[in-house]
Amino acid sequence: LLWPHRPARWAALLGLAAWLGLARSLLALPAPLPPADSLRALNVPAVSARHAVGAALQVRGTVLADPVIARGGTVSQVRVAVATVWQAGAWRPVTGGLLALAGPYPGVGQGDLVECRGVVQDPPPVPGFDYRAWLARHGVESYMSPADVRLVAAAGDAPGDLLARWRRAAGARTATLLPEPEAGLLRGILLGQPKAIDPALRQDFATSGTSWIIVISGIHFSMLLLFGFLALRRWLAPWPSVALAGGLVVLYAAFVGLGVPVARAALMGALYLLAQGLGRPVTRLNLLAVAALALTALDPGSVADAGFQLSFGAVAGILLFAPPLSARWRRLPVLGEACAVGVAVQLATWPLVALQFGQFAPVALPAGVLGGLLLAPIMALGSLTELVSWLWAPLGQGLALVCWLPLTLLAHLVPLAAGLPLASLPLPDFGLPGALLWYTLLAAGYARASYKKRARPLYESKVLSPKS
């Protein structure tokens, strides 16, 4: 770093960053042999799990998230952080994550202490997908199917348990205020409960390429900052408004669950608020880079996760390509900006979609533009409905009728887009080299456009002319 030449300093910084990244990734690799105090050490191979009925174990732990209904509603997936296992007539402490497949209505929720009985095994193989590695990235290395799951103790009063109970109570209250599928749609968009959405409608969102609407992401947090911070600035000084808005961002992130899109959006929002409090200019691409650095430092394996790639790719595309496209379409004030965001997302993410899913949705742009225009009133009216219904149910019921209109428009728009003849098209398997080639060409085009913008001749300004 003390070398006098700037290129040498940059090379040293890049080399140091690469070395630290490699060291952190190696430290995050799982041990080849499981520790003796881990649940993974008790796993039965998946191929022999059916014949190991006598090897059933009893484990106790805390439910990490609300159960997910799978296999057409026949089973529910319960993710458990295991703390003890019953062996030799006593409970022995262990560590590890377990995915238990129970009945469709296990009667447990996030934060509950549960007991699971069944054969603890390795996750089964899935053709064409590394299911074991995917579960490991989510902290799960053991699998139990079928599992007998029973409640030992309800969630306590810890902050995480309390927020989980509030989220479940808000979801149940929403289900009484609105009919289906509008109630499930609001729960997915506002409360971070996408599994509450009707499975057929959720599949239509995936087919039409508009799943980002029902997944809590940066757009939702941007609206939260818009409604919170800018409103507080009217009555408070910068630092009190930053503190209150930051607390709102952190509380909402913990309330809906800290997935990759939520963590990235919350971190970017917190950094933006800090810059506002310090009175410093904000470069949003730098905020995205800091968020990516922090999340990958905590979990290097998240780089291989499809959600991580699509989340950061979409935001990077919006930051880089949406402003110039929006400037070209400035004659359409609202529609032009929405179209620019949609095109930017498609440019940045379609190679990732092709690698991960092998399909492309041509209707994603028009459906995403119209769905994005409905998202703002849904967020605003939905938040107001949830707050007012918690304070006074009759008034909340009246507001729910107003919120029903944009929800039902969205619930009819998405199936209509998904039902079009060319809603989803298969993409050729061009592999990783094709994706790298696309991003290389995209970066070259962006660099060329940026260079032309910076290197305009002086006589193009109002001060100088060719004659002068």
Side-chain angles (χ1 to χ4, degrees), residues 5 53 125 206-207 222 232 285 299 423:
H5 302 292
V53 180
T207 303
S222 298
L232 291 171
L285 200 60
D299 182 15

PDB file of all heavy atoms in Angstrom, residues 5 53 125 206-207 222 232 285 299 423:
ATOM      1  N   HIS A   5       3.404   4.176  -7.028  1.00  0.00           N
ATOM      2  CA  HIS A   5       2.607   4.192  -8.251  1.00  0.00           C
ATOM      3  C   HIS A   5       1.174   3.750  -7.960  1.00  0.00           C
ATOM      4  O   HIS A   5       0.935   2.746  -7.279  1.00  0.00           O
ATOM      5  CB  HIS A   5       3.225   3.275  -9.304  1.00  0.00           C
ATOM      6  CG  HIS A   5       4.648   3.655  -9.638  1.00  0.00           C
ATOM      7  ND1 HIS A   5       4.967   4.825 -10.294  1.00  0.00           N
ATOM      8  CD2 HIS A   5       5.829   3.018  -9.384  1.00  0.00           C
ATOM      9  CE1 HIS A   5       6.280   4.891 -10.445  1.00  0.00           C
ATOM     10  NE2 HIS A   5       6.821   3.816  -9.897  1.00  0.00           N
ATOM     11  N   VAL A  53     -36.072 -48.205  10.381  1.00  0.00           N
ATOM     12  CA  VAL A  53     -37.164 -47.768  11.257  1.00  0.00           C
ATOM     13  C   VAL A  53     -36.754 -47.874  12.722  1.00  0.00           C
ATOM     14  O   VAL A  53     -37.116 -47.048  13.554  1.00  0.00           O
ATOM     15  CB  VAL A  53     -38.427 -48.610  10.971  1.00  0.00           C
ATOM     16  CG1 VAL A  53     -39.565 -48.158  11.880  1.00  0.00           C
ATOM     17  CG2 VAL A  53     -38.821 -48.487   9.512  1.00  0.00           C
ATOM     18  N   PRO A 125     -31.165 -37.213  -2.545  1.00  0.00           N
ATOM     19  CA  PRO A 125     -30.718 -36.580  -3.789  1.00  0.00           C
ATOM     20  C   PRO A 125     -31.901 -36.184  -4.660  1.00  0.00           C
ATOM     21  O   PRO A 125     -32.939 -36.847  -4.673  1.00  0.00           O
ATOM     22  CB  PRO A 125     -29.872 -37.677  -4.453  1.00  0.00           C
ATOM     23  CG  PRO A 125     -30.420 -38.965  -3.897  1.00  0.00           C
ATOM     24  CD  PRO A 125     -30.874 -38.661  -2.500  1.00  0.00           C
ATOM     25  N   ALA A 206     -44.721 -16.801 -10.859  1.00  0.00           N
ATOM     26  CA  ALA A 206     -43.467 -17.355 -11.357  1.00  0.00           C
ATOM     27  C   ALA A 206     -43.472 -17.463 -12.879  1.00  0.00           C
ATOM     28  O   ALA A 206     -42.470 -17.147 -13.543  1.00  0.00           O
ATOM     29  CB  ALA A 206     -43.217 -18.722 -10.724  1.00  0.00           C
ATOM     30  N   THR A 207     -44.581 -17.887 -13.467  1.00  0.00           N
ATOM     31  CA  THR A 207     -44.662 -18.049 -14.917  1.00  0.00           C
ATOM     32  C   THR A 207     -44.551 -16.713 -15.632  1.00  0.00           C
ATOM     33  O   THR A 207     -43.899 -16.612 -16.684  1.00  0.00           O
ATOM     34  CB  THR A 207     -45.984 -18.735 -15.293  1.00  0.00           C
ATOM     35  OG1 THR A 207     -46.072 -19.993 -14.617  1.00  0.00           O
ATOM     36  CG2 THR A 207     -46.069 -18.973 -16.793  1.00  0.00           C
ATOM     37  N   SER A 222     -37.703   0.752  -0.122  1.00  0.00           N
ATOM     38  CA  SER A 222     -37.662   2.112  -0.658  1.00  0.00           C
ATOM     39  C   SER A 222     -38.961   2.845  -0.360  1.00  0.00           C
ATOM     40  O   SER A 222     -38.961   4.024   0.014  1.00  0.00           O
ATOM     41  CB  SER A 222     -37.411   2.063  -2.173  1.00  0.00           C
ATOM     42  OG  SER A 222     -36.170   1.463  -2.451  1.00  0.00           O
ATOM     43  N   LEU A 232     -40.949  12.128   8.362  1.00  0.00           N
ATOM     44  CA  LEU A 232     -40.379  12.573   9.637  1.00  0.00           C
ATOM     45  C   LEU A 232     -39.534  13.833   9.472  1.00  0.00           C
ATOM     46  O   LEU A 232     -39.440  14.643  10.401  1.00  0.00           O
ATOM     47  CB  LEU A 232     -39.527  11.445  10.230  1.00  0.00           C
ATOM     48  CG  LEU A 232     -40.293  10.215  10.727  1.00  0.00           C
ATOM     49  CD1 LEU A 232     -39.322   9.101  11.085  1.00  0.00           C
ATOM     50  CD2 LEU A 232     -41.147  10.568  11.938  1.00  0.00           C
ATOM     51  N   LEU A 285     -24.720   2.687  -5.888  1.00  0.00           N
ATOM     52  CA  LEU A 285     -23.943   1.514  -6.290  1.00  0.00           C
ATOM     53  C   LEU A 285     -22.918   1.152  -5.221  1.00  0.00           C
ATOM     54  O   LEU A 285     -22.625  -0.030  -4.994  1.00  0.00           O
ATOM     55  CB  LEU A 285     -23.253   1.784  -7.633  1.00  0.00           C
ATOM     56  CG  LEU A 285     -22.808   0.557  -8.431  1.00  0.00           C
ATOM     57  CD1 LEU A 285     -24.003  -0.324  -8.756  1.00  0.00           C
ATOM     58  CD2 LEU A 285     -22.100   0.972  -9.697  1.00  0.00           C
ATOM     59  N   ASP A 299     -21.578 -14.954   5.148  1.00  0.00           N
ATOM     60  CA  ASP A 299     -21.915 -16.261   4.585  1.00  0.00           C
ATOM     61  C   ASP A 299     -21.384 -16.337   3.164  1.00  0.00           C
ATOM     62  O   ASP A 299     -22.081 -15.975   2.208  1.00  0.00           O
ATOM     63  CB  ASP A 299     -23.434 -16.465   4.610  1.00  0.00           C
ATOM     64  CG  ASP A 299     -23.833 -17.833   4.072  1.00  0.00           C
ATOM     65  OD1 ASP A 299     -22.951 -18.701   3.952  1.00  0.00           O
ATOM     66  OD2 ASP A 299     -25.024 -18.030   3.780  1.00  0.00           O
ATOM     67  N   ALA A 423     -46.311 -16.816 -22.782  1.00  0.00           N
ATOM     68  CA  ALA A 423     -45.963 -16.246 -21.478  1.00  0.00           C
ATOM     69  C   ALA A 423     -44.599 -16.714 -21.002  1.00  0.00           C
ATOM     70  O   ALA A 423     -43.845 -15.962 -20.382  1.00  0.00           O
ATOM     71  CB  ALA A 423     -47.028 -16.620 -20.448  1.00  0.00           C
TER      72      ALA A 423
END
